Amino acid sequence: MLTELRIENFAIIQSLELEFAPGLTTFTGETGAGKSIILDAIVALLGGRIDATYIRAGAERAAVEGIFSIPAASRAAVAAILEREDLDDEGEYLTLARELRQNGRSVARVNGRSVAVTLLREFGEFLVDIHGQSEHLSLLNVRQHLHLLDDFAAVRPALAAYRESYRSLRQVQKELNALRQSEQDAARKVDMLEYQVQEIESAALKADEEDELRQERARLANAESLASLAQQALMFIDEGSPETPAASDLLGQAASALDSLARIDAGQQALSEQMQALNDTLAEVSRDVRAYLENIEFNPRRLEQVEERLDLLQRLKRKYGGSLAAVLAFAEQARAELENITHASERIEALEQQENNLLSQAGSQAARLSALRTQAAGQLARGVEAELNDLSMAGARFSVQIERSADPAGLRLPAGERVSFDENGIDRVEFLIAPNPGEGLKPLVKIASGGETSRLMLALKNVLTQADAIPTLIFDEIDQGIGGRVGTVVGEKLWQLGRQHQVLCITHLPQLAAYGDQHFSVRKLVEDGRTSTRVEALYDQKRLMELAQFLGAVTQANLDAAEAALAAARYRTRELESKPLR
C-alpha cells in the first residue's frame, strides 16, 4: 500500500507530505481545491504522461515521491523486476520518484536509482489501481479479465496441471519441427556430413602432431647448415688447427697442471676436481654433437611430405576449427548428427505418438478448465449485478464472455473439436456491460469514464476482492450523479473493500466521507498573491465541521446531520466487522 506521498511544486501544490493508513481514506474539499491534482501526481508517479505545464509557476522543477509497502502476493514479482534491472531491494518497501524539469526532461527513480519511465508503469501495475478520470484502469485491460476470472474461480490447481501438459507438448512439438526440417534436408545433409567425417578421419589426426611436424620441418629444411655448424663445433672441441689448439687439449693441460698443484697444496683439491669435471663435460658435449651430426638427414622427399602434412592440417583448421582439437570435436559432432538423421524417422514416429497423447491430455484438461470458468462466470456476473443494484444502477447487466476459435492443428477436445490454445487454455475472456436497461451488452473497455464507470469498478472490486492482489485502489468522483442514500451504500462498500485493500476516495458526499478510516480536507489558499493547496487530516470536531459544510451552511441542523452520519457509519462498520469476509 501507499504509506507516504511527497509532492513539490506540482501545479498549485507547493509542498505536501502525506502519510496514509490502511483502510478507507477519503478526500473532501471544494471543486478546484486540488483534490484531482493529488491524483494527477500519483498518476505521474506511476509513469503517466506529464509535461512542463504541471510545474508550479516560478519553480524550476516538480517532484513526486511515494513509498509503498509491497503485499506478500506481489513480493516475488516485484523482487524479480528489481533483480532483472539490477536495483537495490529494500525488502517489503519500494520507493518510486518522478521529477519534471522546465526543459521538459522527465527523470524517474526506483529506490533512488534512475530508471526508464516505463519501469514505473511496470511497478505500478502491482501497486495501484485508479478508477475515474484516468487512463490507469487495470480492469479496462482485456488481457487481465481472464486472470481475474481464474482467481475468482479458484482454478489454480487445474490451470497448473494444464500448463504442465502445455509445456511438455510445446517441447515435443519443437523437437518434432526440428526433426522434420532436418528430414527434408536429409539427403543433402547426409552427403555433406559423410564427406566431412571422411575427410577428417582419413587425416588420422593427432592432437599434438603439429608442433612436432614444425620442428621436423625446420631440421630438414636446414640440414646443410646444421651439419656445417656441428662440424665446426667439433673442430673447435677436438681437432683444432695449426694456429689454434683444440679446446679438449687445452682443458686437458689445465687439468694436469691443477692436479699437480693439488698434490703440493692439498687445500686446492676442490679446484682440481672442478677442472676435471669441466673436462669430462666437454667430452660429453663432443660425443653428443657427433651423435647429432650422424643423425642429420638430408632428405628432400621427407621434407616435401612434412610440408604437405602441415598444409593439410592448416586446411582442416580453416574449415572446421582453429585448432586440431576443434577439428576432432567437429568430427565427433558430425558423427552424432549422422546418427540422429539415421534414426530420425523412428524418433519422429515416437514423438508424433507422444504429441497426439499430449494433445488429448491437454485438451481434456483445457475443457475441464473452461467448464470451471464458465460456471464461475455466471456467479461473477450475478454478484456484480447485485452490487450494481445496490449502487443505484438497477437494471444494469454484466456478463463474462468466453469464446474459443477453431483450429485444425489445435487441441483435441473430448467431443472431437479442435481449437486454438495457449498457456492459459482455450478461452478468450472479456467483461461486457449494459449500464442501462434496454441497452445491449458492450465491452467494458468501451464504457465512458466518470462516476458510472467508477461505480462499475467498485462493484467488480467488491466481488473480486479476494482475487485482486493490487493493494491500493483509488476512486475519483465515484459519487458523481448519486444522492445521499446511495452515497451511504457506496461508503459502506468502500469501507468493506478497505478491509482487503487500501482505498483512497475523492468525494463530495458527507454520507460517503463519514465511512473513512482517515479523512483529509483539501483547501485552496491565497497567500502573498500565490495560490496553494493545503491538505489537513481531520479528527473529531474539525471533521464534523467539514461534513456539515458539505450539507450546506454550518448550522446546528447540519451539525446534527453530520453527527448522525458519523454515528450511522460507526454503527454500521462495527456491525460489518463482526461478520466474516465474503
Side-chain angles (χ1 to χ4, degrees), residues 297-488:
E297 184 178 10
F298 294 90
N299 190 342
R301 177 58 185 158
R302 175 57 186 166
L303 177 60
E304 182 180 351
Q305 292 173 344
V306 171
E307 292 282 8
E308 290 175 353
R309 180 66 176 176
L310 284 170
D311 182 64
L312 171 64
L313 299 185
Q314 192 62 30
R315 283 189 286 110
L316 291 175
K317 287 196 300 180
R318 281 198 304 268
K319 291 175 68 173
Y320 304 117
S323 65
L324 294 184
V327 174
L328 291 169
F330 183 94
E332 186 65 28
Q333 182 180 353
R335 280 190 289 268
E337 286 189 50
L338 274 172
E339 183 72 14
N340 288 338
I341 292 175
T342 303
H343 297 91
S345 58
E346 299 174 9
R347 180 59 178 162
I348 287 175
E349 184 178 350
L351 287 173
E352 285 176 341
Q353 182 60 48
Q354 191 175 352
E355 180 187 30
N356 286 330
N357 293 340
L358 285 170
L359 282 169
S360 297
Q361 177 178 307
S364 298
Q365 293 169 330
R368 170 62 179 160
L369 187 59
S370 183
L372 292 173
R373 288 168 174 163
T374 301
Q375 180 181 0
Q379 298 172 358
L380 176 61
R382 289 189 292 273
V384 171
E385 288 178 354
E387 291 285 339
L388 291 174
N389 186 64
D390 292 342
L391 295 170
S392 195
M393 291 181 67
R397 293 172 56 218
F398 180 85
S399 177
V400 180
Q401 178 179 274
I402 301 178
E403 294 183 334
R404 62 183 66 161
S405 57
D407 183 354
L411 284 185
R412 183 183 301 108
L413 301 186
E417 181 184 6
R418 300 292 290 264
V419 295
S420 61
F421 64 103
D422 59 22
E423 64 176 353
N424 294 311
I426 58 176
D427 300 315
R428 296 196 307 274
V429 173
E430 184 170 6
F431 295 161
L432 306 178
I433 183 72
N436 302 304
E439 295 182 2
L441 289 164
K442 297 178 181 179
L444 181 62
V445 296
K446 295 184 179 180
I447 297 300
S449 61
E452 191 174 71
T453 304
S454 291
R455 276 180 280 167
L456 172 60
M457 296 304 165
L458 175 57
L460 281 166
K461 288 293 185 180
N462 267 311
V463 176
L464 297 171
T465 182
Q466 298 293 338
D468 193 352
I470 298 178
T472 299
L473 311 177
I474 300 178
F475 292 89
D476 183 23
E477 296 187 12
I478 194 172
D479 51 14
Q480 180 180 340
I482 63 176
R485 185 186 66 81
V486 179
T488 299

Side-chain angles (χ1 to χ4, degrees), residues 184-249:
Q184 292 175 6
D185 303 331
R188 176 184 58 81
K189 196 165 186 178
V190 164
D191 288 344
M192 181 183 68
L193 289 172
E194 287 179 343
Y195 171 79
Q196 291 171 333
V197 171
Q198 176 61 28
E199 183 178 30
I200 295 173
E201 287 183 345
S202 63
L205 300 178
K206 298 177 183 177
D208 57 352
E209 69 172 308
E210 193 170 13
D211 288 339
E212 295 177 358
L213 286 170
R214 286 199 179 98
Q215 292 174 11
E216 184 179 0
R217 180 179 63 181
R219 290 194 299 270
L220 290 168
N222 296 280
E224 185 175 348
S225 296
L226 294 174
S228 174
L229 291 170
Q231 289 172 346
Q232 186 177 354
L234 285 174
M235 183 189 71
F236 286 120
I237 293 172
D238 286 336
E239 299 172 5
S241 66
E243 297 81 9
T244 306
S248 57
D249 292 341

Side-chain angles (χ1 to χ4, degrees), residues 17-70:
E17 293 189 15
L18 298 176
E19 293 185 4
F20 295 102
L24 172 61
T25 296
T26 57
F27 291 84
T28 58
E30 298 292 343
T31 300
K35 302 185 298 299
S36 294
I37 294 175
I38 297 174
L39 180 58
D40 289 340
I42 295 175
V43 170
L45 185 63
L46 300 174
R49 296 177 182 174
I50 57 172
D51 54 44
T53 60
Y54 281 96
I55 301 176
R56 181 174 168 82
E60 290 297 321
R61 65 183 186 92
V64 186
E65 182 179 70
I67 300 176
F68 298 83
S69 63
I70 308 170

Side-chain angles (χ1 to χ4, degrees), residues 148-215:
L148 289 169
L149 176 61
D150 281 352
D151 286 338
F152 177 81
V155 297
R156 291 188 182 278
L159 181 59
Y162 165 78
R163 282 178 172 169
E164 184 175 351
S165 298
Y166 172 82
R167 286 190 291 269
S168 298
L169 175 61
R170 287 308 193 202
Q171 187 173 355
V172 167
Q173 290 176 331
K174 181 179 179 181
E175 185 177 352
L176 258 177
N177 290 336
L179 285 174
R180 285 168 178 159
Q181 183 63 39
S182 297
E183 194 176 42
Q184 292 175 6
D185 303 331
R188 176 184 58 81
K189 196 165 186 178
V190 164
D191 288 344
M192 181 183 68
L193 289 172
E194 287 179 343
Y195 171 79
Q196 291 171 333
V197 171
Q198 176 61 28
E199 183 178 30
I200 295 173
E201 287 183 345
S202 63
L205 300 178
K206 298 177 183 177
D208 57 352
E209 69 172 308
E210 193 170 13
D211 288 339
E212 295 177 358
L213 286 170
R214 286 199 179 98
Q215 292 174 11

